[in-house]
Amino acid sequence: MATFKKKLISGIMLGAAVLAFAACGKKDDNAETTTDGKTIITLGRQTAVDPKLPKGDTYNSNAYTRAVDKKFNIKIKDKFEANGDDYKRQVSLAIASGDIPDMMVVSRDEMKELYDNDLIEDMTAVYKNTGSKAIKEAYESYKNRPIEDGTFNKKLMGLPATAGDLGPSLFWVRDDWAQKLGIKLDADGNGAITMNELHDLAKTFAEKNPGGTAKNTGIAIAPTVVSGSYGGSGYSAMGIGDALGSHPGFWLKGADGKIVNGTVTKETKYTLTLLNSWYKEGILDKQFGTRTWDDISAMMVNGETGIISGPWHIPDWNLFQAKEKNKDVSFKAYALENAQGKVETILNNPTGNFVVVRKGFKKPELAMKIINLIYDDMRNSPTAATDYPEIAAYHASAVDGSTRPFNIEINPATELLDTVSDAKAVLDGQKTENDVKYPDTRSLIKTLQTYSKDPAAAKSTDWATYTSRIFGVNDVLVKVRNEGLLTEIDSPFFGNTKTLEEKGADMDKLREETFMKMITGAKPLSDFDNFVKQWNKQGGAQVTQEVQKAVDAK
């Protein structure tokens, strides 16, 4: 118990934690076997608002839990179920009380806290002896970075998810508008446009108002300006910054080999200078700085802006709303070239969350076996559809991934590129479905074929899938990679430090407010050096030292 006492909590929090888990009954949860010999596994379950489960199925009893039971004689019981921030709160309560489920998915910071308090199992031997070849190869495709991120003092304390969101932030252009105005982009067909092309397009859209709305702008950017994740880069200026060699928010190795944050480089000053000139010219949203994310989404849906920045998958969760309102909407994606004709981007953090196992659980290897089953056998076996018909039915009806015991993904680094390339080859008649690398590519092929047969009658969700995979992945991400245009910069550090935990929010606020003012002209660009000094004084210098130390220790 001495190690657990490292975690100080108030009497109120402790009381809340006890109440939160009283209903589960610690003694029964940790019994580990049922009367008929099944191994009991209690889970912390991250749920979805609408999991799309078939009638009669629940998180505790569904196709995945039944497959796990059949394979390993396991009874899964959810110790708690929660969505979004509520899930994080439940995890925090579990850590605070010391009464955690047998298995749950946590962040790296949460895993570190569990490790410091000796609450989770060392999974080093489990991974070495039980991990399947395909799962290990998936991690190796990221140079084993996920495994390194899950390791403390040479002990693997959690089985990592992968989160390698591919490619640069793209510019999604209203192609129906471009055609209407006779604008031709990407004349060389390499999937990328120049900064001048982007500028001229935004200017034309602003002046010609092809949407015919009372309010119109060339390009809109969220007040945050930048994003620390390419998966969350919608409405940001990350693509513009990348083309200018600026990567604010990301840790980089400078020319001298020392760690520097892209927030305070001269390239970031160049980016702010460019955006300021666009703001003065009127092609950047005149209300920049006051528009919320929802405001820009409404502008996109209502036809008030025709250039949207974001990752390859933004049609799936955002752009499809415009299609639902107007069936004539069409988008095409383009990367942005730098002055050397290259497309530069930061390699995103390849590590997602982690599956951890309660200290003292008698069969920790079951966590690895479940991962092998769901993320290898069910996905890579050529007979998976017949071996697991219930799972195939779930895929066909888009049942949410949270219904799996662990709501994570484990994918090889190039799986998306391989999957889409194979699907496109099948659509073009160059391959058959039997030739695809990954069996679950076949479900994507069916969606793409359904859309291709009758685009006018297709659902907006099928349009989104086609648009993201064909126009985003195949026509841009695959193309710039195959043509040797892509330069991927490996950030040496993703994670937290002591000072970053304490002062990171204030540092981000300073960056956001300063960038906003410099773009609008409320603060002179000549003040950038003073901003750097203030950022360092507010914690940046200390954080940089801590990150340098962490990188040097690897």
Side-chain angles (χ1 to χ4, degrees):
M1 291 297 289
T3 53
F4 176 66
K5 288 179 182 177
K6 296 176 186 174
K7 178 72 179 175
L8 297 177
I9 56 174
S10 68
I12 294 175
M13 280 293 292
L14 180 58
V18 172
L19 289 173
F21 294 106
C24 297
K26 184 174 180 180
K27 182 179 179 181
D28 291 336
D29 283 343
N30 293 338
E32 295 198 346
T33 56
T34 63
T35 53
D36 57 354
K38 292 183 184 295
T39 299
I40 297 172
I41 296 179
T42 60
L43 295 182
R45 175 87 72 161
Q46 188 176 18
T47 62
V49 175
D50 180 15
K52 299 180 182 177
L53 280 163
K55 186 177 181 180
D57 279 2
T58 65
Y59 275 104
N60 266 291
S61 178
N62 60 58
Y64 291 105
T65 63
R66 287 189 285 272
V68 168
D69 182 5
K70 183 177 179 180
K71 183 80 172 180
F72 305 117
N73 200 31
I74 286 172
K75 174 66 176 176
I76 287 178
K77 290 183 178 181
D78 291 349
K79 191 160 190 172
F80 59 81
E81 296 178 358
N83 175 250
D85 288 341
D86 287 338
Y87 179 79
K88 294 179 182 178
R89 282 189 281 271
Q90 291 282 17
V91 171
S92 294
L93 287 168
I95 296 173
S97 69
D99 183 16
I100 68 171
D102 296 328
M103 300 175 191
M104 63 178 174
V105 176
V106 299
S107 70
R108 191 180 190 279
D109 289 340
E110 290 164 340
M111 180 174 63
K112 178 66 163 56
E113 191 173 359
L114 288 160
Y115 168 71
D116 288 343
N117 288 290
D118 197 27
L119 292 172
I120 52 176
E121 283 287 330
D122 176 358
M123 302 296 285
T124 309
V126 166
Y127 174 67
K128 180 181 178 181
N129 299 329
T130 312
S132 75
K133 180 181 177 182
I135 296 297
K136 290 178 178 177
E137 287 176 347
Y139 295 140
E140 288 165 3
S141 71
Y142 299 99
K143 302 177 183 177
N144 263 333
R145 182 80 173 264
I147 294 297
E148 291 176 8
D149 289 343
T151 300
F152 301 102
N153 296 324
K154 299 183 180 181
K155 297 177 181 179
L156 179 64
M157 300 308 299
L159 302 172
T162 61
D165 198 19
L166 282 169
S169 181
L170 306 179
F171 289 89
W172 290 88
V173 173
R174 279 289 297 266
D175 190 54
D176 53 319
W177 288 4
Q179 292 185 41
K180 179 180 178 180
L181 298 174
I183 300 170
K184 296 188 182 301
L185 298 169
D186 187 23
D188 56 8
N190 65 4
I193 59 176
T194 65
M195 191 74 75
N196 286 339
E197 283 183 285
L198 179 63
H199 167 274
D200 293 348
L201 177 70
K203 185 175 182 179
T204 302
F205 279 0
E207 293 175 351
K208 301 291 186 182
N209 190 16
T213 58
K215 299 176 181 178
N216 180 60
T217 193
I219 186 170
I221 294 173
T224 51
V225 184
V226 302
S227 168
S229 163
Y230 280 99
S233 64
Y235 308 157
S236 80
M238 295 303 295
I240 294 171
D242 283 346
L244 296 174
S246 165
H247 312 288
F250 287 90
W251 295 101
L252 312 166
K253 278 194 176 181
D256 58 0
K258 293 184 178 179
I259 296 299
V260 63
N261 193 282
T263 295
V264 294
T265 62
K266 64 181 186 299
E267 289 82 6
T268 294
K269 184 178 180 180
Y270 299 157
T271 302
L272 296 174
T273 302
L274 177 72
L275 292 173
N276 171 253
S277 71
W278 286 12
Y279 182 81
K280 289 177 179 177
E281 192 176 351
I283 65 173
L284 181 61
D285 183 15
K286 295 179 181 65
Q287 295 184 46
F288 166 72
T290 61
R291 302 271 198 195
T292 65
W293 170 280
D294 290 339
D295 290 338
I296 300 175
S297 292
M299 292 170 68
M300 178 269 297
V301 171
N302 295 328
E304 295 170 14
T305 186
I307 303 174
I308 296 295
S309 65
W312 67 265
H313 46 78
I314 198 171
D316 299 322
W317 47 269
N318 184 272
L319 303 187
F320 80 93
Q321 298 173 72
K323 187 70 172 179
E324 287 187 331
K325 182 171 182 178
N326 179 357
K327 64 181 179 61
D328 295 326
V329 164
S330 63
F331 281 91
K332 278 197 175 179
Y334 302 92
L336 192 61
E337 296 178 7
N338 61 20
Q340 291 74 43
K342 299 290 186 180
V343 175
E344 187 171 294
T345 185
I346 293 282
L347 277 171
N348 199 24
N349 184 2
T351 310
N353 289 329
F354 297 83
V355 176
V356 295
V357 177
R358 174 179 60 81
K359 184 71 176 285
F361 185 71
K362 294 178 181 177
K363 298 180 179 180
E365 70 278 3
L366 287 176
M368 190 74 252
K369 289 182 177 180
I370 292 172
I371 285 174
N372 291 343
L373 174 65
I374 294 175
Y375 302 97
D376 181 3
D377 294 349
M378 288 183 180
R379 301 188 62 207
N380 298 325
S381 169
T383 59
T386 52
D387 293 343
Y388 306 102
E390 273 199 302
I391 305 299
Y394 270 29
H395 289 167
S397 56
V399 173
D400 192 76
S402 63
T403 57
R404 298 169 296 191
F406 311 130
N407 189 16
I408 61 172
E409 298 294 340
I410 300 177
N411 303 314
T414 62
E415 180 175 9
L416 174 68
L417 303 178
D418 295 336
T419 295
V420 173
S421 294
D422 278 353
K424 184 65 165 60
V426 172
L427 288 184
D428 293 344
Q430 299 169 352
K431 282 186 177 182
T432 70
E433 289 191 21
N434 293 329
D435 298 324
V436 300
K437 186 172 182 179
Y438 299 104
D440 59 2
T441 302
R442 291 163 192 157
S443 61
L444 173 61
I445 291 169
K446 287 181 173 58
T447 300
L448 299 180
Q449 287 174 333
T450 298
Y451 175 80
S452 299
K453 286 176 183 176
D454 192 355
K459 296 182 294 185
S460 59
T461 50
D462 288 346
W463 169 86
T465 299
Y466 187 94
T467 298
S468 63
R469 270 65 173 187
I470 301 302
F471 297 148
V473 177
N474 186 76
D475 293 355
V476 182
L477 301 192
V478 172
K479 186 170 288 186
V480 298
R481 189 178 293 264
N482 289 347
E483 296 198 9
L485 301 181
L486 187 64
T487 299
E488 295 178 301
I489 298 172
D490 194 358
S491 175
F493 183 82
F494 293 98
N496 232 333
T497 72
K498 183 177 183 295
T499 304
L500 196 56
E501 285 181 357
E502 297 170 353
K503 300 181 178 181
D506 290 336
M507 291 164 59
D508 288 347
K509 184 180 179 182
L510 173 65
R511 179 186 66 197
E512 181 179 326
E513 290 178 350
T514 303
F515 286 8
M516 191 188 307
K517 289 177 180 178
M518 288 184 172
I519 291 170
T520 60
K523 182 185 283 286
L525 291 157
S526 59
D527 202 38
F528 186 80
D529 289 345
N530 288 331
F531 156 70
V532 173
K533 291 177 183 177
Q534 190 177 357
W535 184 86
N536 279 320
K537 185 177 180 180
Q538 196 160 303
Q542 182 62 36
V543 174
T544 303
Q545 289 179 15
E546 292 170 355
V547 172
Q548 183 75 61
K549 184 178 179 181
V551 171
D552 291 344
K554 286 185 177 181

